[in-house]
Amino acid sequence: MRYSDPLGYMITVTTYGTWLQGDESGSHERKGPRRFQPPNLRLQSWEESKLKHPPMILNAAERAVVRKAIERECEHRGYTLRTINVRTNHFHAVVLTKTPPGKVLNGIKAWATRALREAGLVEPERSIWTKGGSRRWLWTEED
């Protein structure tokens, strides 16, 4: 059974330069219908040529800071953080809230970015996250 409002969202954000269009795992179109695209070395090379910084790989200390920042943001905003998994090149967070998903995603990324910079782990001009992120709507407990 679906509700008029989702219970929350599964937020996924990748780190800068680590998941490029055309790479060996394939990708999805950025605009229009989210159709799957098979690997494309020319597209991947073009994407790599546009990078301003090396890909961002989070070490153990950085992952711990990101996790704590997301927990603090959720507590501050009154969101229920069901689970979180911070990996070397992305994170997933299941957040229960009625707040629009874009605001949740942007807030989480901003707090994590600020925390990494304040801890002196990332330079001020360094890109940390890819643009946007995935916001999967969760309609039921099973989702």
Side-chain angles (χ1 to χ4, degrees):
M1 178 173 111
R2 292 216 167 178
Y3 301 96
S4 59
D5 291 321
L7 296 176
Y9 315 97
M10 182 169 86
I11 304 291
T12 302
V13 176
T14 57
T15 58
Y16 179 83
T18 58
W19 288 18
L20 301 174
Q21 293 284 99
D23 75 7
E24 71 275 354
S25 63
S27 53
H28 288 85
E29 292 181 12
R30 290 188 176 150
K31 296 185 179 178
R34 303 278 295 161
R35 291 187 292 254
F36 179 77
Q37 293 181 312
N40 180 332
L41 291 177
R42 288 183 65 206
L43 177 58
Q44 181 182 4
S45 293
W46 183 72
E47 290 279 326
E48 286 173 348
S49 74
K50 295 188 323 181
L51 293 177
K52 297 176 185 173
H53 310 283
M56 179 70 184
I57 304 296
L58 300 172
N59 63 34
E62 292 162 341
R63 290 192 308 271
V65 167
V66 169
R67 179 184 183 90
K68 189 68 175 164
I70 293 171
E71 290 169 348
R72 284 194 328 256
E73 163 70 348
C74 289
E75 182 179 333
H76 175 74
R77 300 281 178 205
Y79 307 154
T80 300
L81 180 61
R82 266 296 169 83
T83 190
I84 184 170
N85 190 354
V86 182
R87 311 293 296 194
T88 58
N89 64 351
H90 68 285
F91 70 78
H92 302 284
V94 174
V95 180
L96 304 184
T97 181
K98 301 293 184 198
T99 303
K103 184 173 182 177
V104 175
L105 183 141
N106 291 335
I108 285 173
K109 285 172 67 175
W111 275 58
T113 299
R114 182 171 39 251
L116 286 167
R117 295 198 199 294
E118 287 176 355
L121 297 172
V122 178
E123 306 85 33
E125 67 283 347
R126 178 81 156 91
S127 298
I128 301 170
W129 312 110
T130 55
K131 184 177 178 182
S134 172
R135 300 163 275 192
R136 182 173 161 216
W137 293 43
L138 306 175
W139 297 97
T140 66
E141 286 292 327
E142 292 78 35
D143 289 343

